[in-house]
Amino acid sequence: MTRLINARLVLPHTILDGDLTFDDTGIIAPAATTSDPAGDVLDCEGDFIIPGIIDLHTDNLERQVLPRVNARWPSRSAFIAHDAQCAVAGVTTVFDSLSLGDINGRDRIQTFEDGIDDLAELSAAGVLRAEHLLHLRCELIAPEMQELFEMVRDDKRLKPILRLVSLMDHSPGVGQYADIARWRKGRLGDGLTEIEIDVSLEEIRANRIEHLEKNRAYVQSFCRENHVALASHDDRLEEEVNRNHADGISIAEFPVSMTAARCAHALNMDVIAGAPNIVRGGSHSGNVNAMDLIRAGLVTALASDYVPSAMLEAAFCCVNQNALPLPDAIRLITDGPARIAGLTDRGRIEAGHRADLVQVHVHDGLPIVRRVWVGGRRVV
């Protein structure tokens, strides 16, 4: 038994000052057992204890694999660093979001190919701190998308941990990159010439015409047959959301406009917003401010996108800016994602649930992770 004393327990709808016990199997015990003197006793010194954070979408592995342009890091070392960064941020369940296709080269394809092998091997070896699941980000306009998807579909190590798939279209002129002038400016910043950008744009448009619909149908068929959750990505227009809903898609990931988020919410779709958007005070690509979506009551869950530590900080930003009370804010990074992903054994502090727990100290409004447990095992 492990007993946490002098804690402020963040429950789904309230905060309770008290103790918490979990047994040697890593399961939270009923409240009555907190008086049991046996086992380890840890003083939380008045810190918050929250459920382990569940991150449905993180590209953080890509940042570890390519810490600088043209400086690719050894893949397993990158994965270990990624795992450590998630754990110290209080993220106990990580959905590694790997891209099937890359419209700007091969970097993401190599990251996917290396990443799925590392995910399978390192998970089986028991050396990872967090629990890692798989989120396939399907670039619908990529010619190689189906071929890459089949690498997972045919791998017995990976199929059981494939829990989420999202449909992406990163074509200039739609979704996140609706502003083509802004997209061109970004490509110029990457070192391309105007002529090279024109050639790239024509190739992307041709691939979109040839591949988008057939790739979409392929992914939808797989998810329907295998009961895997399917999300849309970067929705901007009502007609996009309406089509997704009609096709049975129940999750709107990172809608880029208030219009799309309101439409998704009205259709009872889950809406996932980006935690970095909240921490930074707005979108890095000029799209809707996620805090506005929070205040409008449209968001079901937050995801880290590209900064694992943004999850916890974003929740406290919601509190500090009087957008949400703390239990509601914490649900956006715990119970909300758990429900979306069908993870019924975690996401809340409740007897019988996994002891995925995070001790959080708050300094001048800033949350600081002090201890982390995954299934009752301390990892930070």
Side-chain angles (χ1 to χ4, degrees), residues 175-220:
Q176 182 179 351
Y177 300 111
D179 186 341
I180 294 182
R182 187 185 185 104
W183 177 83
R184 293 182 70 96
K185 184 177 180 181
R187 301 300 287 150
L188 285 170
D190 292 337
L192 272 67
T193 66
E194 291 283 3
I195 293 175
E196 288 172 330
I197 292 172
D198 288 339
V199 170
S200 175
L201 188 56
E202 288 306 310
E203 182 179 353
I204 290 170
R205 286 170 173 164
N207 282 335
R208 188 171 194 265
I209 292 170
E210 182 175 355
H211 298 289
L212 187 145
E213 290 300 332
K214 66 182 180 182
N215 281 344
R216 179 184 175 100
Y218 172 92
V219 174
Q220 287 179 301

Side-chain angles (χ1 to χ4, degrees), residues 110-127:
Q110 184 175 346
T111 299
F112 164 78
E113 292 172 343
D114 293 340
I116 56 175
D117 282 339
D118 294 334
L119 171 59
E121 178 192 342
L122 296 173
S123 294
V127 297

Side-chain angles (χ1 to χ4, degrees), residues 136-147:
L136 293 182
R137 306 175 62 211
C138 299
E139 188 62 74
L140 297 182
I141 64 172
E144 66 276 3
M145 193 224 76
Q146 290 188 33
E147 179 183 353

Side-chain angles (χ1 to χ4, degrees), residues 267-285:
L267 293 169
N268 293 318
M269 297 174 70
D270 288 305
V271 175
I272 301 173
N277 184 312
I278 291 176
V279 174
R280 295 182 67 257
S283 167
H284 72 279
S285 53

